[in-house]
Amino acid sequence: MRIYLLALNEVIDTGLTTLLDTFGTANDLAESAGTSSTRFNVTVVGVRSRVHTSHGLSVPVRSATRLARPDVALVPALGAKMPETLRVALERRDVTDAQALLRRWSDSGTLVGAACTGTFVLAGTSLLNGQNATTS
């Protein structure tokens, strides 16, 4: 299964690494159980060539627009925690570009999801209209 983690600028460090650790652990457990054919192929992608975490660390990303469509796309949390900073973050060009990409992927059959404040990025795609959603 091809999974893309769509990292946006100012992604929360632990939001990204928790997803990476979760899928890495699942792959390790599958291998130890002899079911390595169920591996998750996880790639960190971005809509910009450079992405930095909310703590300023550089995140190596592959260009999301140059890769084949994923089976699953997940948006990790943004570093904006307060309503005003989140509003400003959601107006950034990289976020609107990511939302357009998520809509295209979803229209082509990709399952899309988000974690924590990444849910607000997903909500901006209109894909959650009429659906129940939550954030932590």
Side-chain angles (χ1 to χ4, degrees):
M1 176 177 288
R2 183 182 309 129
I3 299 174
Y4 291 170
L5 304 181
L6 182 53
L8 298 169
N9 211 35
E10 298 181 17
V11 62
I12 291 181
D13 301 62
T14 57
L16 178 59
T17 58
T18 297
L19 290 171
L20 288 168
D21 287 343
T22 299
F23 288 114
T25 298
N27 283 339
D28 291 345
L29 291 172
E31 188 173 323
S32 71
T35 58
S36 58
S37 63
T38 59
R39 287 188 62 84
F40 297 107
N41 179 5
V42 179
T43 305
V44 180
V45 301
V47 293
R48 299 290 182 272
S49 60
R50 291 188 177 161
V51 173
H52 289 91
T53 69
S54 60
H55 286 287
L57 301 175
S58 179
V59 179
V61 296
R62 300 208 36 214
S63 174
T65 58
R66 293 188 175 151
L67 298 172
R69 179 186 65 79
D71 299 305
V72 176
L74 300 173
V75 182
L78 295 177
K81 300 166 201 73
M82 304 306 292
E84 182 58 24
T85 57
L86 182 58
R87 184 190 63 74
V88 170
L90 293 173
E91 293 174 353
R92 293 190 332 234
R93 182 71 180 166
D94 65 320
V95 172
T96 57
D97 289 347
Q99 290 167 331
L101 180 61
L102 289 166
R103 280 191 299 273
R104 284 195 305 274
W105 282 342
S106 177
D107 290 346
S108 297
T110 295
L111 177 66
V112 297
C116 197
T117 55
T119 305
F120 292 97
V121 174
L122 185 54
T125 66
S126 300
L127 293 172
L128 296 179
N129 288 2
Q131 304 295 319
N132 293 321
T134 189
T135 186
S136 56

